[in-house]
Amino acid sequence: AAGQVDAVMNEILSVMFLNQEAIQVQAVRFARAASAEQAIFKINAAKNSGITGVDGLKGVPIGVAQGTVIEYLTYRLLEAEGLSAEEIQVVAVPKIPDRMSLLASGELKAATLPEPFSTLAVQSGAPVVFDDSSHPEYSHSIITFRKDVIDQQPEAVREFLTAVEEAVELINADPQKYASLMVEKELVPAPLAETFKVPTYPTAGVPSRAQFDDALDWAIEKGYATVRVSYEDCVNASLLPK
């Protein structure tokens, strides 16, 4: 928003929020995406909470980062499994370390965590209740550029995305080859250095109109957004490698 960075890795809700008053940014590519084989976000239950399934989460405050993809998919995942919106409760705990600490102490009975932190929580005795691999359409992150950068330097953005595609192909061909790099760049907590499975990454693509519209519907329903921004203003697939 301040123009101090050209691009960020974020999620589609924050693109909508930044574009409420003027079109400032556009999503240009998936960064991560859940699949039936690979989860990104998981709901962990506190040790000794007695929660073993989705039904056990009815009325239980779940720690989330409010107004983010984590809150959105917590609602959508649980609704898809049969809970009503009234049966779903969330509590704002923005920082992941705080969420994990409260979960470990039992002050939070459940929390939605991204990988690899969910796996770290499991090692501390907080089992996974449910994850986004069952409904992957709700869960992804994106690469987003400022609109003026796209307009003024389209070739630079296009070359960047070509480089990302090359990296994705290399990682997907042999994920574990890059395990030490993830530790070196502090993308994986040290306790998981030997056991964490390096993820695969989505090939060139952007969120669909249906994915965008569902997230926008939710944001407006919750009062996080008031302007119904358009898909075309927020998502730009024209710079992806062909």
Side-chain angles (χ1 to χ4, degrees):
Q4 294 180 336
V5 296
D6 293 336
V8 294
M9 190 174 77
N10 59 350
E11 31 84 19
I12 200 65
L13 285 168
S14 57
V15 170
M16 297 171 187
F17 301 156
L18 282 166
N19 288 346
Q20 285 290 287
E21 295 183 5
I23 306 307
Q24 300 187 76
V25 296
Q26 289 183 326
V28 297
R29 191 194 192 282
F30 281 124
R32 295 288 311 280
S35 69
E37 295 76 34
Q38 180 175 266
I40 300 178
F41 295 98
K42 300 179 180 181
I43 301 175
N44 291 68
K47 184 179 180 181
N48 301 323
S49 66
I51 299 171
T52 58
V54 170
D55 282 349
L57 294 170
K58 288 180 181 178
V60 172
I62 302 169
V64 301
Q66 197 170 30
T68 69
V69 66
I70 289 181
E71 184 184 4
Y72 162 72
L73 70 88
T74 298
Y75 272 94
R76 287 298 192 249
L77 290 179
L78 296 180
E79 287 169 345
E81 289 298 301
L83 269 62
S84 68
E86 294 71 28
E87 292 173 326
I88 302 168
Q89 289 191 26
V90 297
V91 58
V93 186
K95 295 181 179 179
I96 292 172
D98 292 345
R99 231 176 297 158
M100 293 184 66
S101 177
L102 291 171
L103 188 68
S105 69
E107 292 179 69
L108 265 182
K109 287 190 175 182
T112 304
L113 296 168
E115 285 290 20
F117 298 100
S118 176
T119 296
L120 194 61
V122 170
Q123 287 192 353
S124 301
V128 172
V129 178
F130 196 67
D131 65 49
D132 57 12
S133 64
S134 296
H135 305 282
E137 64 273 17
Y138 297 120
S139 186
H140 55 265
S141 57
I142 50 179
I143 297 171
T144 296
F145 273 80
R146 295 202 334 260
K147 180 66 163 58
D148 58 352
V149 174
I150 293 172
D151 291 343
Q152 296 165 19
Q153 303 180 62
E155 284 307 312
V157 178
R158 186 174 282 111
E159 289 173 9
F160 171 81
L161 293 176
T162 298
V164 169
E165 203 64 26
E166 289 180 21
V168 164
E169 290 173 3
L170 288 169
I171 294 169
N172 289 353
D174 187 5
Q176 288 307 119
K177 180 180 178 180
Y178 300 93
S180 61
L181 184 64
M182 292 191 76
V183 175
E184 178 188 327
K185 298 299 181 182
E186 299 181 350
L187 300 174
V188 173
L192 298 181
E194 299 298 322
T195 58
F196 185 71
K197 184 180 178 182
V198 177
T200 55
Y201 291 82
T203 54
V206 294
S208 68
R209 186 181 297 274
Q211 288 173 312
F212 178 89
D213 285 346
D214 187 72
L216 182 55
D217 289 344
W218 179 85
I220 290 174
E221 175 191 334
K222 293 295 180 184
Y224 294 131
T226 56
V227 176
R228 193 161 192 90
V229 288
S230 75
Y231 177 79
E232 289 78 11
D233 281 337
C234 293
V235 180
N236 184 345
S238 68
L239 300 171
L240 290 171
K242 304 302 182 185

